[in-house]
Amino acid sequence: DSGVTQTPKHLITATGQRVTLRCSPRSGDLSVYWYQQSLDQGLQFLIQYYNGEERAKGNILERFSAQQFPDLHSELNLSSLELGDSALYFCASSVEARGAGYGYTFGSGTRLTVV
Amino acid sequence: GENVEQHPSTLSVQEGDSAVIKCTYSDSASNYFPWYKQELGKRPQLIIDIRSNVGEKKDQRIAVTLNKTAKHFSLHITETQPEDSAVYFCAASKGNDMRFGAGTRLTVKP
């Protein structure tokens, strides 16, 4: 157990639907990052939050949105789902947003299948 | 922004041989370089990291070297074992901005 909790582990839904993925960061970590990993692909950075505020945005589609709540858990909302959105979605957390880098701790991921 | 290139994309070695994966980065301000191992269907896990004030770091069979002048860093795995088979990702970070390489699929043949 890495300390980063993602739910659900698996999600199957139909095209056009909306889903919410949830992430609880490791205790003490203020930053949460969301990544998308399609089959046999690398880690595509979507978005980062630090202590409730959006800090960085990557290749996140307009159909996707995220937020981080006061208790530091984060949710990634995916809407108007398409077949191509099928992927593993990872959440990662780290200690700080600025200064020298720190390693990320990844959650176990949510496998989304759009049918 | 930072751009990280990783080579090779696939690597196959015989058990007991060494494996080397190389990465280059573009932003000279990057100061932290972690390596992650991802087994099939599992989460990426940090296996070793190096900061810009260090040239080499070793942890048992794995080592990482960093050449700041050339802006490249490498992962070395010695005496490879079948359980080393996985996808390995390098990354370069400047503060909260971390960029990953595309990954190397390492296969260790018994």
Side-chain angles (χ1 to χ4, degrees), chain A residues 37 40 48 97 99 101 103-104 107, chain B residues 32 36 38 43 51 95-96 105:
Chain A
Q37 187 176 41
D40 278 347
Q48 181 216 351
Y104 292 179
Chain B
Y32 176 67
Y36 290 83
Q38 186 180 26
R43 65 182 178 91
R51 297 193 184 277
N96 58 287
R105 183 176 298 281

Side-chain angles (χ1 to χ4, degrees), chain B residues 38-108:
Chain B
Q38 186 180 26
E39 296 177 11
L40 190 62
K42 297 191 176 180
R43 65 182 178 91
Q45 290 189 277
L46 180 68
I47 56 171
I48 194 167
D49 56 13
I50 191 168
R51 297 193 184 277
S52 58
N53 58 347
V54 176
E56 184 174 358
K57 185 175 179 180
K58 192 173 181 180
D59 182 4
Q60 299 182 342
R61 295 187 297 107
I62 59 173
V64 57
T65 58
L66 171 65
N67 183 326
K68 282 193 301 181
T69 304
K71 289 189 281 189
H72 68 69
F73 56 113
S74 301
L75 178 72
H76 304 252
I77 306 175
T78 59
E79 300 172 20
T80 54
Q81 301 167 2
E83 51 265 40
D84 294 329
S85 295
V87 177
Y88 291 80
F89 292 97
C90 65
S93 170
K94 176 181 63 178
N96 58 287
D97 184 11
M98 183 179 290
R99 302 298 171 100
F100 287 85
T104 297
R105 183 176 298 281
L106 172 65
T107 302
V108 180

